[in-house]
């Protein structure tokens, strides 16, 4: 008959340390959700202006000048990512916005549709409240997976979802 040996205190501490290290060393990258409510108006405005510039009064210089803001917006939409690594959340939006937050300082994650300017490319957003009074709004494509990863590293984070309307 095999009798399991009880763990000694240092084995318990070592096992906990290994598990904690495995949780904090994972690297997860989440892309921003691209919402049609932001993309379509931008496409219509930029498309109309470029069309009028090229066909109404042909001027390639005007086209090239207008192409720069279009490429900038496309760059922002494509390079907005949220990375969880080593107990840190790094939010990167193009080359303009780069913020790192210690996950242990996150107090609350709230589902929101707040249209304020933020590193989010959709109106389907999450507001992350951290430190004393700081917050940032993001729009992860995999919202629940993102929340679960944050909760795994900081179980004290309060999660608030929008109330679903009854149909």
């Amino acid at each position: 008959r095999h009798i399991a040996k009880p763990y000694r205190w240092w084995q318990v501490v070592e096992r906990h340390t290994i598990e904690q290290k495995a949780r904090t060393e994972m690297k997860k990258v989440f892309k921003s959700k691209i919402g049609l409510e932001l993309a379509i108006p931008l496409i219509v405005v930029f498309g109309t202006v470029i069309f009028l510039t090229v066909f109404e009064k042909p001027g390639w210089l005007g086209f090239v000048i207008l192409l720069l803001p279009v490429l900038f917006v496309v760059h922002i939409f494509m390079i907005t990512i949220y990375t969880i690594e080593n107990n840190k959340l790094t939010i990167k939006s193009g080359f303009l916005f780069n913020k790192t937050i210690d996950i242990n300082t996150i107090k609350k994650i709230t589902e929101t549709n707040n249209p304020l300017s933020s590193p989010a490319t959709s109106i389907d957003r999450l507001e992350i409240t951290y430190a004393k009074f700081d917050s940032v709004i993001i729009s992860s494509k995999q919202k629940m997976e993102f929340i679960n990863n944050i909760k795994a590293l900081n179980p004290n984070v309060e999660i608030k979802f929008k109330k679903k309307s009854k149909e």
Side-chain angles (χ1 to χ4, degrees):
R1 213 167 42 159
H2 179 66
I3 298 175
K5 294 180 186 176
Y7 282 112
R8 297 200 170 54
W9 68 269
W10 62 84
Q11 291 172 318
V12 172
V13 170
E14 181 180 323
R15 185 174 179 185
H16 177 72
T17 305
I18 290 169
E19 289 171 357
Q20 183 67 24
K21 191 174 181 183
R23 278 191 288 163
T24 58
E25 288 183 356
M26 69 175 178
K27 179 178 181 176
K28 291 289 242 171
V29 177
F30 297 89
K31 290 187 174 193
S32 182
K33 179 179 181 178
I34 297 176
L36 294 177
E37 67 279 353
L38 291 179
I40 290 175
L42 288 171
I43 290 169
V44 168
V45 168
F46 282 132
T48 302
V49 172
I50 288 174
F51 177 82
L52 292 174
T53 301
V54 171
F55 292 104
E56 227 13 74
K57 199 167 142 188
W60 290 104
L61 179 62
F63 174 75
V64 170
I65 291 171
L66 285 171
L67 198 58
L68 294 174
V70 169
L71 292 175
F72 172 74
V73 170
V74 168
H75 172 73
I76 295 293
F77 269 66
M78 302 312 283
I79 311 295
T80 299
I81 58 170
Y82 318 110
T83 306
I84 298 173
E85 183 176 29
N86 297 328
N87 254 20
K88 304 273 187 225
L89 168 62
T90 303
I91 302 167
K92 182 169 176 43
S93 184
F95 57 85
L96 294 178
F97 189 93
N98 194 358
K99 180 183 256 340
T100 300
I101 300 168
D102 182 351
I103 291 176
N104 292 321
T105 66
I106 297 176
K107 293 177 174 46
K108 181 169 54 171
I109 299 176
T110 308
E111 203 173 25
T112 183
N113 292 94
N114 190 334
L116 286 177
S117 177
S118 63
T121 56
S122 171
I123 298 294
D124 184 17
R125 298 173 168 191
L126 296 172
E127 181 176 9
I128 299 173
T129 306
Y130 64 98
K132 199 156 187 148
F133 302 110
D134 297 320
S135 73
V136 65
I137 298 174
I138 67 165
S139 63
S140 177
K141 190 185 276 188
Q142 304 98 354
K143 191 188 296 187
M144 287 310 300
E145 186 181 344
F146 176 83
I147 291 171
N148 290 336
N149 275 267
I150 296 291
K151 278 291 271 183
L153 295 170
N154 182 356
N156 298 322
V157 174
E158 178 187 353
I159 308 297
K160 283 189 158 185
F161 292 104
K162 291 184 291 191
K163 292 188 177 18
K164 303 287 183 205
S165 61
K166 295 185 180 180
E167 296 174 7

